[in-house]
Amino acid sequence: MTGATGNVGQEILAQLVSVGRPVRALVRKARRPASGVEVAEGDLSRPDTLESALLDVETVFLVWPFLTTEGASAVLDAIQGHARRVVYLSSSGVNAEAGRQSDPINQLHADMESLIERSGLQWTFLRANTIASNTRGWAAQIRGTGVVRGPDIAATAVVDPRDVAAVAVRVLLDDGHKGATYVLTGPEVVSRAQQVRAIGEAVGRPLRFEEVPVEIAREQMLADGRPPALVEALLASAETRPHSGLITSAVEEITGTPARTFRQWAADHAGDFR
């Protein structure tokens, strides 16, 4: 699987290991593997390095970490040379009926889905809503001032990475998901201000969200060392994302367990913000 060190990827690894299933994690630099996890060194930006990671693999969980699809076709060719199926982590913002997507990040996911559909591989798309663990990026502000400053983003049904991982594990292990697209959300729509308040309840002190203009947010993100292309993509997403009241039952239907609330995620991860 790719994305093994990310918030969702780590959860998938842990859940696969817990049920005794063999898993191989692709990493850019070899490291000591977690118990039960085989590690293979390779780089998605260099498809020629993926051979050892793909040996004897039937299904690949794919996270595409780049802002363009450049090189993606070569990676899919390498996967097809060994595996028969790919499970791709996409975005709930993708609109299959639109000629162009609302922002660069959703466009990237739509383009990746199209490439995968044409690759000849069996596929399943997991279109995840905003993932709760993204709020870890606020930790320094929460510890420092208790005020999270940034551009406001339209409220959505934020999803717990553990729930995304649980769905991914079921899809990876079970047949019958070929050609399926699942939109994964949490059980309630929450704004950024509501997320900050929930984290405050979890850590036991009042916190608040303060909206700032996009230009100020851009300056801060660049000062934090984020790549300019990523900054522009994130800000474009923030400016154009429409309000969405979409809540799906996909997590419960596939896993048998209701999706967790953001408040539950915050309570379980309060230590990340103290």
Side-chain angles (χ1 to χ4, degrees):
M1 65 170 288
T2 67
T5 59
N7 292 318
V8 173
Q10 291 183 66
E11 292 289 346
I12 293 174
L13 287 179
Q15 293 183 33
L16 285 171
V17 169
S18 71
V19 295
R21 298 304 293 261
V23 59
R24 181 181 297 150
L26 176 71
V27 296
R28 296 178 67 179
K29 185 177 181 181
R31 64 191 70 184
R32 185 172 181 173
S35 177
V37 177
E38 180 184 351
V39 169
E41 188 173 353
D43 189 335
L44 288 175
S45 68
R46 297 172 53 206
D48 59 305
T49 67
L50 304 178
E51 182 72 19
S52 62
L54 291 167
L55 286 175
D56 301 319
V57 167
E58 292 188 0
T59 303
V60 172
F61 180 79
L62 179 63
V63 175
W64 189 250
F66 310 112
L67 291 174
T68 76
T69 58
E70 182 178 356
S73 292
V75 169
L76 293 172
D77 287 344
I79 292 173
Q80 190 182 30
H82 295 275
R84 62 181 177 86
R85 188 160 66 106
V86 62
V87 177
Y88 176 62
L89 182 61
S90 187
S91 167
S92 65
V94 171
N95 179 356
E97 306 302 319
R100 295 292 297 176
Q101 301 298 316
S102 61
D103 65 71
I105 294 176
N106 284 331
Q107 187 62 54
L108 168 69
H109 286 299
D111 291 343
M112 284 296 298
E113 288 187 8
S114 294
L115 287 174
I116 292 168
E117 287 175 340
R118 298 195 301 267
S119 70
L121 288 157
Q122 296 177 23
W123 54 265
T124 307
F125 299 145
L126 304 183
R127 291 181 180 168
N129 210 317
T130 302
I131 296 176
S133 49
N134 291 351
T135 59
R136 287 190 175 116
W138 301 338
Q141 294 185 75
I142 287 172
R143 294 190 197 105
T145 65
V147 179
V148 174
R149 303 175 74 246
D152 203 3
I153 295 178
T156 60
V158 177
V159 65
D160 193 305
R162 294 171 294 187
D163 292 331
V164 177
V167 171
V169 167
R170 291 270 50 89
V171 169
L172 288 166
L173 297 183
D174 300 342
D175 292 328
H177 300 283
K178 178 181 177 182
T181 297
Y182 299 118
V183 179
L184 310 179
T185 76
E188 58 187 0
V189 173
V190 288
S191 67
R192 282 195 153 190
Q194 289 170 322
Q195 292 172 59
V196 171
R197 284 199 295 272
I199 295 170
E201 293 171 5
V203 300
R205 63 190 182 96
L207 306 174
R208 65 183 175 87
F209 175 76
E210 180 180 307
E211 182 180 2
V212 301
V214 167
E215 283 304 318
I216 293 177
R218 177 181 286 109
E219 292 173 5
Q220 183 59 57
M221 293 166 78
L222 291 171
D224 290 342
R226 299 193 186 191
L230 175 60
V231 170
E232 295 308 318
L234 291 172
L235 291 176
S237 176
E239 289 184 292
T240 60
R241 178 185 294 174
H243 172 80
S244 173
L246 176 66
I247 296 174
T248 73
S249 57
V251 169
E252 183 169 9
E253 289 173 1
I254 296 170
T255 68
T257 302
R260 298 172 175 89
T261 64
F262 181 81
R263 183 172 284 102
Q264 183 176 350
W265 184 88
D268 291 343
H269 296 85
D272 296 341
F273 301 96
R274 290 193 173 110

